[in-house]
Amino acid sequence: QKEVEQDPGPLSVPEGAIVSLNCTYSNSAFQYFMWYRQYSRKGPELLMYTYSSGNKEDGRFTAQVDKSSKYISLFIRDSQPSDSATYLCAMSAGGSYIPTFGRGTSLIVHP
Amino acid sequence: DTAVSQTPKYLVTQMGNDKSIKCEQNLGHDTMYWYKQDSKKFLKIMFSYNNKELIINETVPNRFSPKSPDKAHLNLHINSLELGDSAVYFCASTNNGREQYFGPGTRLTVT
């Protein structure tokens, strides 16, 4: 079992839909949870990160962590074609500078 | 101003050659990384380096070596290139391990 599991997709949704992207993990030492967005032929860019359990909201994006279930989610409200990209989850243990990445989910938002 | 830059953007070379990829960050970060992203988009950490410690992913062949002339630069040298080295290589930097800033990537093709 990989430390971080993420469905590669692709996930295809119509414009305006609510998107849910998810990762599961096995290492209970993970405390920091990050979401990166990667456009085609570009480097990943950090969208948001959360510490421990709970929700964090930033505009149309909400990150949710459930440590009891070892499950994290990224919700995108009112999705736009410009949100079409690969979304990578990443996580690390407290004090560690070495994150573990999921393999990314490809999202396609069609007009 | 570009935060993390890499050169070259594209690199095509033959098997057996030795090549280097350069990375520079102007963010004042103290930790830099090299990642390899394969054709399936899986992002794998190769090295983590700050001025005190080099952490090597033990699965990385010793043909790969990071070289850091100063805190703002981390170059990647590859000896005896093989077909399987073809991938996109990303440099990244951070001050806290969670918020990583990635470069635009170097697309390496070994023929």
Side-chain angles (χ1 to χ4, degrees):
Chain A
Q1 182 191 10
K2 288 192 173 68
E3 267 197 306
V4 178
E5 299 274 6
Q6 187 176 10
D7 187 333
L11 176 62
S12 182
V13 301
E15 184 175 355
I18 296 175
V19 175
S20 172
L21 303 164
N22 312 295
C23 290
T24 58
Y25 63 96
S26 58
N27 187 344
S28 57
F30 288 148
Q31 291 185 300
Y32 292 92
F33 304 90
M34 290 73 74
W35 286 97
Y36 288 83
R37 177 175 62 196
Q38 185 176 19
Y39 290 115
S40 181
R41 294 187 171 260
K42 301 287 186 184
E45 58 176 321
L46 181 68
L47 280 175
M48 50 203 305
Y49 81 88
T50 53
Y51 171 71
S52 194
S53 285
N55 291 0
K56 185 173 183 180
E57 189 173 321
D58 184 0
R60 296 184 296 111
F61 298 88
T62 299
Q64 194 172 79
V65 175
D66 181 349
K67 288 191 76 181
S68 62
S69 302
K70 295 191 177 67
Y71 188 89
I72 70 170
S73 300
L74 178 71
F75 298 97
I76 307 174
R77 290 185 299 280
D78 187 25
S79 57
Q80 302 295 310
S82 59
D83 295 327
S84 298
T86 296
Y87 290 80
L88 300 126
C89 65
M91 38 200 88
S92 63
S96 170
Y97 276 47
I98 308 298
T100 300
F101 279 82
R103 65 178 304 126
T105 298
S106 174
L107 172 66
I108 301 166
V109 181
H110 51 85
Chain B
D1 275 349
T2 304
V4 181
S5 60
Q6 295 178 228
T7 54
K9 193 168 182 180
Y10 299 96
L11 183 55
V12 180
T13 188
Q14 292 184 327
M15 283 174 54
N17 284 350
D18 302 339
K19 290 293 178 185
S20 291
I21 307 172
K22 295 186 176 181
C23 177
E24 176 182 1
Q25 53 97 3
N26 62 6
L27 298 166
H29 288 165
D30 55 15
T31 302
M32 296 181 73
Y33 304 83
W34 277 107
Y35 287 88
K36 178 181 180 181
Q37 190 171 49
D38 61 26
S39 57
K40 295 184 179 178
K41 299 286 190 179
F42 186 59
L43 198 63
K44 172 182 150 181
I45 192 165
M46 302 177 72
F47 303 102
S48 163
Y49 185 82
N50 64 23
N51 55 11
K52 299 174 187 174
E53 189 178 15
L54 169 66
I55 300 176
I56 302 171
N57 184 328
E58 64 274 8
T59 66
V60 175
N62 58 14
R63 299 181 293 103
F64 291 79
S65 55
K67 296 186 191 303
S68 180
D70 56 57
K71 192 175 145 178
H73 296 82
L74 183 65
N75 303 326
L76 181 65
H77 190 76
I78 316 168
N79 289 327
S80 304
L81 277 154
E82 300 178 357
L83 292 176
D85 298 333
S86 296
V88 182
Y89 292 84
F90 288 102
C91 176
S93 72
T94 187
N95 250 354
N96 60 20
R98 276 81 67 188
E99 296 170 279
Q100 296 202 11
Y101 292 80
F102 283 80
T106 296
R107 189 169 294 270
L108 171 66
T109 303
V110 182
T111 61

